[in-house]
Structure formats: structure tokens, C-alpha cells
Amino acid sequence: MKRNQWWIWVIVFLLTASQTPLVSAHSVVSPSQPTRVNLAHLNHLQDEVMINGMPMSVTRIYSEYPDYGWVPANGEGIGCVDDTARAAVVYLRDFESNGNRDSLERARRALNFIRYMQADDGEFYNFVFADYSINRDGPTSHKSMGWWAARAMWAMGYGYRVFLKEDPAYATELKKHFLLANEALQRTIAPQYGQYRTVHGVKVPAWMDGFDAMSNALLGLTEFYRAEPLPEVKKSMEMIGNGLQQYQLGDFGLYPYHAHLDWGGSIQLWHAWGSSQPMALAKAGIVLKRRDWIDSARKAADGLYAYLLTSGMIKEMAPTPTQFEQIAYGVNRMVQGLISVYQATGNPNYARMAGLAASWFTGNNAAHTAMYDPGTGRGYDGIIAPGKINRNAGAESTIETLMAMQSVLSNHWATPYVNARTVEMHGLRLMEAEKAQATHGSPVIITPDSSWNGEAVYSSQTVKMSNGDGLTFVWDNDCTEPVQIEAAMEKQATVKGKSILEVLVNGKPIALYDAGGSPDRDYLWRDPIGQAVLKKGINRITMIYHGGRPLILDNIAVQPVRSFVSFTTERTGQNAFIHDIRTKKNWFVQGK
């Protein structure tokens, strides 16, 4: 990279100095054709059938490289509500955007299948077998108001709004099924509405458990309410929206960065796939004029999404980020959240962020390979490891990819960034505790029985530190810069002041971190433990433990106070996106 380019010097000025990139510019395998929305592969996945005398379309679940024929899910079935509902959303969006009558009819057939899968009590089954009979007993298909029901509500609510203008008689049928589902939803969430459970001192809304799933129901309720503002629909919107808003933790630069958590059983776990809470809150906030919901979505965009743009896409964090496997379902929900926040606030920077996030699909990713082929319309099934992708193109990946392309290619602020290419990324970096030098006492390396402990994930081995034990992390920095030092460790169920971690940088004490204070039991968490200025060259970050009970340390992380990603695009030239945790601001720097 040429350091004499003026735009890089702007970044250098902003950052004080430059840093060796975490992600460098590589040869990228780009799409062979211009980026566009191509429904051909999604159309290929539609199994059009007559069931009980009604034309339906079942979205076939898997499609595998190299011939991309239909492949069933062993033991589950050939297709499901989960995918068919999302296919309906894509087709409805295509009709609204382009007036494509074929897409409207495809949406109708998909909605017919969704209606077929609804039980008399309003709940839904998910899979059908090869003979199109319903799988009523499978763990991913049993009757419920979970994931597949929530997605069914999204599709039916959207369908009702569209067909109310195009075919009112059919809209009436959709309305009947949608309101039946809403009754089932109310039976699920209303009895405990306003009640809370406490997890490690955090109040968690007790009327929902799968917050990620319920965000899909809120999307459907919002679409229906736009068409017909019924009080019973508004009631459900308020119950779900209030729950999603309240289950948001962290801060702009503090884990989990204003993320909306996904599961009521863990305050540590956020996963990229399916996390539609910012999208749903922003859209519902517009319709109900709930500024607090919009602000909640905006905070997630400013904190979580900006962190991902400057530190790299991940699969999940619990609390340590796991990079792989990355899938379209995760990236698209980030894209949708950012586009929705743009729509709610009018701030074009959120649309630009959405376009930059969507560049993952065109090859700006850890595999340096396009995950969407606009020539065929295939969305590939995921990035498995650096430079390695899964070339299957199943329904979920294709649908989520198309959703992302529909959103960013129709937005003039986002479109220029869709083919961005990262030049340099300067964000959070990790070092495992077992890699550190034992400099005091006798710390012990421990291999957990399982990485998953029921609510969080150990990143690797851990280190048990007894009273007086110390570790030194040797950290090579090629610039001088202020940083926030964080640690993933087990917060202890001890009174405050009894479990102290002394932190030194290059021999200078910077903090005394209290690892106690858990109100219930020990739990894995990630906290900032001090701020310091790292010098150019070798730095030594030392941690000495003082406490009666051993401390379990998983890893440390160094987060630059000012992180960035620099990138190029054909339309906007050389650019950077800056994320500053001290000022709590994000901004773009654009070249010429």
C-alpha cells in the first residue's frame, strides 16, 4: 500500500499512526457479471404442486454443487415454511419494486403452502415429506409458535398488505390465517407480559425466549398494521417490540456493543444469523411512531454493526467472537438492520454502512470470493475458513442473498459500496491466555470439557490463576496509539474487593479490575479492564491476580480507541469508515 496517497495520510492523521492490517487486500474472485438481482436460482428451487386442489409452491431446501439439483433434508423433508415464507417475501418485494406479475403469482403459491401448514389453533408445522404430507413430529417441524411460525407471520402480513390492493378476496383469506396466528402468538406471550427473570443481575423479559425468532413476527405484524391498523395487532407489536428493546446490552464500545440478545438463557450470546431485532424495531418504530424503538435500533447500528465493519464479520460472540462459519443469513440481517435504520432516521451513513456490509456478497470477505453469482442468482452456503467456501447454494443462502441485493441495489446511498474492496482493517485483536508467559507464581492451563458451558463459549484453553499468579502478554504494535484492553474471564460470585486483577502495561500500573460481584454464580464475561497507550514495537501487558478463589482467564483483547476499515470502490474511489469508542462517533472519509 502506498503511504503517499493523500487519503491514507488523512487516516494516519486520524489514527496518529498506521497499523499492520488484520485483513489485507488480496486477489478477489469477483462475480463474472455486474451485480444485479437475479431470481433464476430461486425460481429453480420452487417445487410447484397441487395439494388438496390448491396450487402451491414448496421451496426446496438444499441445492448442491456442482449440478445444483434438489436435495432433501434427511429425516426432515424436502421443503419447509422457514424457507418458503422467506421466498414469498423476496417475490413480494420484487413485485413491489418492479411490477413483476410472475413474482406476485409465485408469492401467492408460496403463501398457499404456508396456509396449508397452519394448524387449526393457529400454530404452524414446518416440513413436508416427499409425498407432501406434513412432518408433524420432527424436532424442526413440530407444531409451534417458534421460528417457522414467526416467519410465516412475516410472509402473510406482507402478503396481506400487497394483495389487499391486487386481489382483495385473496387478501381476506390471508387475513383470516394471519389473525388466527396472532391469536396463537398472544397465547404464547401475553400470560407473562410484564414479568422478568434475572440472569447474572440482568433483567430479561420473561414473556419471550427466542427474541431473534420473535423479531420475524414483529416484521409481519408491522406489514399487516400498515394495511389495517387493528388494535389486536398493535397489542402484539407492542409486546414484542418492548421485549426486543429491553433486551439490549452493552454500550458503544463495551461488549456486546448495544446488541439485542437472542436467547433469554444467555446474556453473553449474540449470533449473526437470524438476529433481525434492529430491522424489526426500526420498521415497527416508524409505523407506531415509537422513537424509543428507533433509537434502540440506531444504537445497535452505531455500536455492534460499526464494530463488525471495522473488526471483521463473525459467526457469533459468546463473549469471544468466533469468525467462522459465516453465512448469508447473518450478513443479510446486518444489511437489513442498517437499511431499516436509514429509513427510520434519514441518515445516509447507515445506508452506506449497509452497502459496505453487503460487499461481503461480492467478494469483500475472508475468503476473497464472491458469495453471490449474479449470472445464475445463486447465493453460496457460507465461508468455512479463510479462503474456503461452501459452494452449495441452498434456499436459505440464496434467499438471504437476494434480500440483501434487493435492499442495497435499490438504495442510491448504498449501491456505490456494494463492490467495495478492503485495503486495510484496524480493529479488535485477540490473544489467548494460554499463549501468555507465566511471569508470577504457577498459573495452570486448563482444557474445558466442552467449549460450550450452557450459556457461553470458551474460545480455547483457559488459564487458572491463583493468588499471586501472573501472566504477561507480549504484544507487537507497529504504531503508538491509545487502546482499550479487555479480558474474557469468569466473573466470580464473590463480594467486590475480594478478586482483583492488577493490570500493568510495560511495567506501569494502569488498573485494578474487580473480577467479583456476580449476584448469582460464576459466569464467563468480557469486560474492559483498562486503557493505555501502546508504543510502537513490543509491549508487555501483565496481569497479576490477588484473590482467595482461583480466577479463570480465557483471553484478552486489544481494541483501538479509534478503529477503521479503509477500502476502495469504483464509484467513490478511496474511502475509510472510522469507529471511535472515546467520542462514540462513526464517520466516513471519502477520497476522489
Side-chain angles (χ1 to χ4, degrees):
M1 182 171 58
K2 295 181 179 179
R3 297 288 178 177
N4 60 355
Q5 296 179 21
W6 76 269
W7 64 285
I8 288 292
W9 284 112
V10 170
I11 296 170
V12 171
F13 173 76
L14 291 170
L15 290 162
T16 304
S18 181
Q19 163 96 356
T20 300
L22 293 180
V23 179
S24 303
H26 287 263
S27 175
V28 175
V29 181
S30 299
S32 58
Q33 298 188 20
T35 305
R36 61 189 177 92
V37 177
N38 183 350
L39 301 182
H41 188 59
L42 181 59
N43 294 344
H44 162 68
L45 294 176
Q46 302 312 302
D47 184 1
E48 297 183 359
V49 295
M50 294 288 292
I51 302 177
N52 297 338
M54 182 178 293
M56 299 184 191
S57 183
V58 182
T59 302
R60 289 297 191 120
I61 184 168
Y62 296 134
S63 177
E64 296 186 353
Y65 175 87
D67 60 358
Y68 295 103
W70 294 346
V71 177
N74 291 333
E76 296 177 299
I78 61 168
C80 58
V81 170
D82 270 335
D83 293 329
T84 305
R86 284 180 284 180
V89 169
V90 170
Y91 285 128
L92 290 166
R93 174 71 184 272
D94 185 58
F95 170 73
E96 283 201 301
S97 299
N98 304 311
N100 187 339
R101 306 296 300 188
D102 178 66
S103 287
L104 183 66
E105 292 310 307
R106 287 181 182 275
R108 187 197 301 268
R109 289 193 291 270
L111 290 165
N112 287 343
F113 173 71
I114 293 166
R115 293 164 56 203
Y116 167 67
M117 298 297 285
Q118 188 175 31
D120 292 341
D121 63 359
E123 296 183 357
F124 287 84
Y125 299 99
N126 193 24
F127 273 91
V128 290
F129 293 116
D131 62 357
Y132 306 106
S133 63
I134 297 173
N135 179 347
R136 299 176 184 273
D137 302 313
T140 60
S141 190
H142 61 86
K143 183 169 69 70
S144 78
M145 278 306 297
W147 273 106
W148 39 95
R151 291 186 179 121
M153 291 190 72
W154 183 14
M156 289 196 301
Y158 193 176
Y160 177 67
R161 182 174 65 77
V162 172
F163 278 103
L164 194 59
K165 296 178 181 179
E166 299 300 322
D167 186 343
Y170 185 65
T172 299
E173 290 299 311
L174 289 176
K175 177 180 177 179
K176 179 178 70 175
H177 286 269
F178 183 88
L179 293 180
L180 184 63
N182 189 50
E183 291 175 7
L185 176 66
Q186 282 289 318
R187 290 195 302 271
T188 303
I189 64 177
Q192 289 187 286
Y193 183 68
Q195 299 179 30
Y196 297 84
R197 56 182 176 269
T198 302
V199 180
H200 306 314
V202 175
K203 282 179 61 177
V204 179
W207 58 97
M208 294 189 295
D209 193 36
F211 293 79
D212 43 10
M214 285 296 102
S215 63
N216 291 270
L218 181 56
L219 289 169
L221 291 160
T222 300
E223 293 289 354
F224 187 100
Y225 194 83
R226 287 177 61 188
E228 186 175 355
L230 297 180
E232 60 266 40
V233 173
K234 182 179 181 182
K235 180 181 179 181
S236 295
M237 292 176 69
E238 290 175 334
M239 287 183 176
I240 296 176
N242 289 337
L244 299 184
Q245 179 205 2
Q246 292 174 35
Y247 198 28
Q248 181 176 31
L249 301 182
D251 204 336
F252 188 95
L254 300 178
Y255 184 82
Y257 316 116
H258 280 312
H260 297 89
L261 280 300
D262 296 306
W263 171 48
S266 172
I267 64 168
Q268 301 99 309
L269 173 63
W270 175 86
H271 50 70
W273 60 268
S275 291
S276 305
Q277 296 93 312
M279 174 191 183
L281 284 169
K283 288 183 176 295
I286 294 171
V287 171
L288 293 186
K289 296 181 172 57
R290 287 289 299 266
R291 174 54 57 181
D292 53 340
W293 291 0
I294 294 171
D295 285 344
S296 179
R298 178 188 53 77
K299 287 178 181 178
D302 288 340
L304 174 65
Y305 293 157
Y307 157 73
L308 293 175
L309 287 177
T310 55
S311 290
M313 190 61 197
I314 61 174
K315 171 189 176 183
E316 64 187 13
M317 49 187 186
T320 302
T322 300
Q323 189 175 12
F324 301 107
E325 180 177 5
Q326 297 174 22
I327 60 175
Y329 190 14
V331 180
N332 177 47
R333 295 305 149 144
M334 179 177 172
V335 171
Q336 298 300 329
L338 287 164
I339 284 289
S340 299
V341 171
Y342 160 72
Q343 293 167 342
T345 64
N347 186 337
N349 274 352
Y350 295 114
R352 294 185 179 105
M353 291 169 69
L356 184 57
S359 68
W360 183 92
F361 293 99
T362 67
N364 195 34
N365 54 49
H368 310 290
T369 302
M371 298 301 292
Y372 172 55
D373 180 0
T376 63
R378 295 177 189 133
Y380 298 118
D381 276 356
I383 300 177
I384 303 168
K388 185 177 181 181
I389 75 168
N390 180 344
R391 291 197 174 275
N392 296 335
E396 179 176 274
S397 298
T398 294
I399 291 166
E400 296 289 337
T401 299
L402 292 172
M403 281 186 185
M405 293 299 105
Q406 286 177 322
S407 292
V408 294
L409 295 180
S410 63
N411 184 289
H412 72 279
W413 297 109
T415 301
Y417 297 86
V418 172
N419 290 293
R421 292 293 175 261
T422 294
V423 176
E424 186 173 353
M425 186 174 282
H426 178 88
L428 182 132
R429 290 190 294 161
L430 295 170
M431 182 177 286
E432 298 294 340
E434 65 271 19
K435 307 281 187 179
Q437 300 174 355
T439 50
H440 300 74
S442 303
V444 178
I445 296 175
I446 297 174
T447 301
D449 293 336
S450 171
S451 60
W452 171 249
N453 67 10
E455 62 177 7
V457 177
Y458 296 104
S459 60
S460 183
Q461 294 175 304
T462 62
V463 174
K464 182 172 74 172
M465 302 176 69
S466 298
N467 186 43
D469 286 348
L471 297 172
T472 294
F473 296 82
V474 179
W475 199 273
D476 189 3
N477 234 48
D478 66 354
C479 68
T480 299
E481 63 174 337
V483 301
Q484 177 173 276
I485 300 171
E486 305 174 4
M489 68 182 77
E490 291 188 0
K491 291 281 286 184
Q492 295 186 350
T494 58
V495 297
K496 285 188 172 292
K498 298 296 184 179
S499 304
I500 302 298
L501 196 62
E502 180 183 1
V503 186
L504 305 91
V505 173
N506 297 323
K508 179 182 178 181
I510 65 163
L512 294 174
Y513 172 80
D514 194 334
S518 169
D520 43 27
R521 62 185 188 277
D522 294 0
Y523 67 98
L524 189 61
W525 187 247
R526 187 163 124 219
D527 254 348
I529 57 175
Q531 291 197 354
V533 175
L534 295 186
K535 65 183 180 180
K536 181 178 180 179
I538 299 298
N539 296 264
R540 288 177 170 81
I541 302 171
T542 300
M543 300 179 184
I544 305 172
Y545 177 62
H546 308 280
R549 289 181 52 202
L551 176 72
I552 303 299
L553 180 66
D554 192 2
N555 56 66
I556 70 164
V558 172
Q559 171 67 57
V561 166
R562 185 170 289 179
S563 54
F564 76 91
V565 57
S566 63
F567 58 94
T568 62
T569 77
E570 290 184 2
R571 295 194 195 181
T572 62
Q574 298 148 330
N575 308 259
F577 175 70
I578 314 296
H579 178 59
D580 191 310
I581 64 173
R582 182 169 290 167
T583 63
K584 296 186 177 182
K585 292 182 179 179
N586 303 308
W587 67 94
F588 281 87
V589 176
Q590 184 171 317
K592 294 183 180 180

